[in-house]
């Protein structure tokens, strides 16, 4: 289980760094990270991790999930 926490944490770090460049929608963020070898479930868990730590805002706008740093 600890290996999974490490993978989620690593992915959360990558998500955070991508969001430093500007807000992203869930689809584009997932696409970028999948190209880097992260699976979709891991990306979603990482977003949840960052949301729980109150580091990001996640909003639904016109049917798309928008993620941005706080």
């Amino acid at each position: 289980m600890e290996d999974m926490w490490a993978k989620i944490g690593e992915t959360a770090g990558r998500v955070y760094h991508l969001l430093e460049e500007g807000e992203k929608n869930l689809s584009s963020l997932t696409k970028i990270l999948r190209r880097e070898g992260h699976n979709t479930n891991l990306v979603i868990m990482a977003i949840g991790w960052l949301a729980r730590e109150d580091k990001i805002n996640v909003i639904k706008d016109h049917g798309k999930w928008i993620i941005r740093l706080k």
Side-chain angles (χ1 to χ4, degrees):
M1 184 61 170
E2 287 185 34
D3 186 50
M4 182 55 89
W5 286 118
K7 287 179 183 179
I8 296 168
E10 177 185 324
T11 305
R14 185 65 183 119
V15 168
Y16 190 90
H17 290 296
L18 285 170
L19 293 175
E20 286 180 319
E21 300 170 2
E23 72 180 33
K24 307 260 187 296
N25 67 48
L26 180 60
S27 177
S28 65
L29 192 58
T30 302
K31 189 181 294 185
I32 292 165
L33 290 164
R34 284 182 58 206
R35 276 186 263 152
E36 295 178 4
H38 302 276
N39 74 44
T40 302
N41 290 331
L42 207 54
V43 173
I44 292 169
M45 287 185 269
I47 291 168
W49 176 315
L50 292 169
R52 177 74 174 119
E53 289 187 342
D54 202 29
K55 304 260 187 219
I56 60 172
N57 286 320
V58 180
I59 60 169
K60 192 166 189 180
D61 185 34
H62 294 92
K64 291 186 177 188
W65 290 102
I66 305 298
I67 300 129
R68 66 176 68 121
L69 295 180
K70 284 196 165 188

